Amino acid sequence: MSKTPYHINLPEEIVTELNLHPEQSFHLTLRNGSLTLHPINGQNEIQTLSLRHFLVPSVLAALLFIGYAFYQREFQLPLGGDNSIASAVILLGELSGMLSFLITYIQEVRRQPNSLKRKTNWRVFPALLIAFAIILAFITSGFFWAINYLFQNVTFDLFTSVVLFVLFDAIINFLMIYAALSISTLFITAIFVMTMIGGVLIAMVTNSSRLWWQYNLSFLGTDGALDAWQFNATLILAGLIWIALVDYLFVPLQQVMRGNHRLIALRVLLTLAAISLAGIGAFPNNAGQLHFIHDQIANGLVYFILILMAGNRWLLPNAPREFMVTSYVIGSILVVTMLLFQVVGYLSLTAFEIIAFGLTLSWILLLLQNIYRLYYHAYQTFVVKIA
């Protein structure tokens, strides 16, 4: 049976952005009724090869670990506590993990043929670097706290300690390299959501014995809470990620829709809201001047969100009717809950804050999704012909 050759005519924008060449070969993947083209010997295969280097920083960190053990003459090391396997992994794993993230991220940006994407990646790089450093410190500290709780007072000889150290450090480096290779709008959004929800839930659980809910949500970041720095760091970290996400979305979008004043206003409001979120963590609700500053910043965040909700019809070009209706419904629910709290007295401050937090976070995600769809569906979707 003869095979009929088929050809796909690609728009010039795709050829330029992906730096394609005549007679270039592709992998064609059929998945869930959709076709995906991947250049052979292209970006995906380069990423796979780079994952093989995660052991190199782990071995280098292990040499430092061994040198420190010999210097301290400690050949029987505890799993947790000071001068332990856990403390070594947290410190050296943080350094080697961030080094792996840094090198991989820079390599990927330099390989990017599209100048606009390179510019966007460089702009969000500082915020992402700080965010991932804090996230890595949180995760490793929490993980080894749980491990040490399960295996209290356990110790290992130096050889076993080194093997465990290399294992944990290699996992950290693998995950950090994977994170650097996975930077995208959806990935940053997922990190933002996990940071917000995870950090707040951990703070709630940690302070459950102090009956934090009898005060308010902001109590989790005050002097009266246990490990208040975790709650405050969560808000600062989420604000940084939010700023990076807004930049990542709007740089390419404004390149396409130059001089669009509605988009500029939307971007400014989102950035101010992100700064306000970080400011709430930077100025905890302690007594005195901090309480006043904290309240003013929190009120500012509420105002920015309400303006965004009420004005989404004018701020977001081509806003879907479903999104506009959803925005008005969520905004109305927020106003009703505010009246139930301030006027009727039916809701407690904690209940009001939790409801407002959940509704606001859900709406922000919907807004970011529609901004993402505006660019990638309207300006990155092309019609191609098969000849």
Side-chain angles (χ1 to χ4, degrees):
M1 185 176 66
S2 62
K3 295 183 178 179
T4 304
Y6 292 97
H7 303 276
I8 298 178
N9 297 323
L10 297 178
E12 189 65 30
E13 295 90 339
I14 297 178
V15 175
T16 302
E17 180 168 338
L18 298 181
N19 195 25
L20 303 180
H21 307 286
E23 303 301 326
Q24 185 172 350
S25 298
F26 291 82
H27 289 301
L28 183 63
T29 305
L30 176 62
R31 180 179 299 169
N32 297 328
S34 300
L35 293 176
T36 305
L37 288 173
H38 296 289
I40 298 176
N41 297 325
Q43 192 75 1
N44 289 336
E45 295 193 5
I46 291 173
Q47 291 177 354
T48 303
L49 291 175
S50 67
L51 297 180
R52 300 176 184 174
H53 300 296
F54 69 92
L55 280 177
V56 175
S58 302
V59 172
L60 294 177
L63 294 177
L64 294 176
F65 175 61
I66 294 172
Y68 180 79
F70 273 96
Y71 176 76
Q72 294 290 329
R73 297 185 180 277
E74 295 183 3
F75 306 108
Q76 190 72 22
L77 295 169
L79 181 61
D82 298 330
N83 298 323
S84 64
I85 300 172
S87 61
V89 173
I90 292 172
L91 176 60
L92 296 176
E94 178 80 13
L95 295 175
S96 63
M98 293 316 301
L99 182 62
S100 297
F101 179 87
L102 180 68
I103 293 174
T104 306
Y105 189 92
I106 292 175
Q107 288 177 343
E108 291 304 303
V109 173
R110 288 179 173 176
R111 290 192 188 110
Q112 177 57 249
N114 185 277
S115 59
L116 179 59
K117 286 190 175 181
R118 283 201 307 271
K119 177 184 176 181
T120 306
N121 287 329
W122 284 127
R123 285 174 62 94
V124 303
F125 175 62
L128 288 180
L129 184 65
I130 296 172
F132 277 103
I134 299 174
I135 290 172
L136 179 58
F138 272 7
I139 293 176
T140 51
S141 299
F143 174 77
F144 279 106
W145 176 86
I147 291 295
N148 190 48
Y149 181 80
L150 292 174
F151 302 97
Q152 297 182 26
N153 301 323
V154 65
T155 61
F156 299 97
D157 60 82
L158 183 58
F159 176 78
T160 307
S161 299
V162 171
V163 172
L164 290 174
F165 174 87
V166 172
L167 174 63
F168 290 128
D169 197 73
I171 294 173
I172 289 173
N173 284 290
F174 177 85
L175 293 176
M176 294 309 291
I177 290 174
Y178 181 81
L181 295 174
S182 303
I183 297 300
S184 65
T185 301
L186 297 179
F187 183 76
I188 300 175
T189 303
I191 294 295
F192 170 69
V193 174
M194 288 189 292
T195 300
M196 278 293 293
I197 296 178
V200 171
L201 285 178
I202 290 173
M204 289 178 178
V205 172
T206 304
N207 288 275
S208 58
S209 61
R210 299 207 168 189
L211 304 179
W212 64 268
W213 48 270
Q214 294 183 351
Y215 303 92
N216 51 54
L217 198 60
S218 296
F219 172 82
L220 298 172
T222 63
D223 292 335
L226 292 173
D227 296 325
W229 67 271
Q230 294 181 358
F231 180 78
N232 295 326
T234 293
L235 299 182
I236 296 172
L237 176 58
L240 283 175
I241 298 174
W242 190 351
I243 293 172
L245 182 57
V246 170
D247 230 23
Y248 201 85
L249 280 169
F250 277 88
V251 168
L253 182 57
Q254 289 186 296
Q255 189 73 14
V256 175
M257 305 177 66
R258 292 179 181 273
N260 190 302
H261 298 294
R262 292 192 294 171
L263 274 182
I264 295 173
L266 178 60
R267 181 178 184 178
V268 170
L269 286 170
L270 281 171
T271 303
L272 289 174
I275 294 173
S276 299
L277 179 63
I280 293 173
F283 299 94
N285 192 23
N286 293 321
Q289 189 67 21
L290 281 177
H291 171 73
F292 175 78
I293 298 174
H294 177 90
D295 279 355
Q296 296 306 309
I297 296 175
N299 290 334
L301 176 60
V302 173
Y303 295 145
F304 292 137
I305 295 298
L306 288 177
I307 292 172
L308 285 167
M309 285 184 177
N312 71 87
R313 179 178 180 179
W314 298 274
L315 293 171
L316 182 63
N318 304 321
R321 178 176 175 80
E322 181 182 357
F323 173 66
M324 290 191 293
V325 172
T326 303
S327 299
Y328 298 145
V329 169
I330 292 178
S332 301
I333 295 174
L334 284 174
V335 171
V336 170
T337 54
M338 188 180 299
L339 292 174
L340 289 175
F341 162 62
Q342 293 183 341
V343 179
V344 181
Y346 175 74
L347 292 175
S348 65
L349 176 57
T350 304
F352 168 70
E353 288 182 332
I354 292 176
I355 294 172
F357 171 78
L359 290 174
T360 302
L361 180 60
S362 301
W363 183 82
I364 290 171
L365 293 178
L366 286 175
L367 175 61
L368 294 174
Q369 179 186 6
N370 278 277
I371 297 172
Y372 173 84
R373 181 182 300 166
L374 175 64
Y375 176 71
Y376 287 96
H377 286 197
Y379 300 101
Q380 290 290 89
T381 301
F382 305 90
V383 176
V384 299
K385 293 182 179 180
I386 299 179

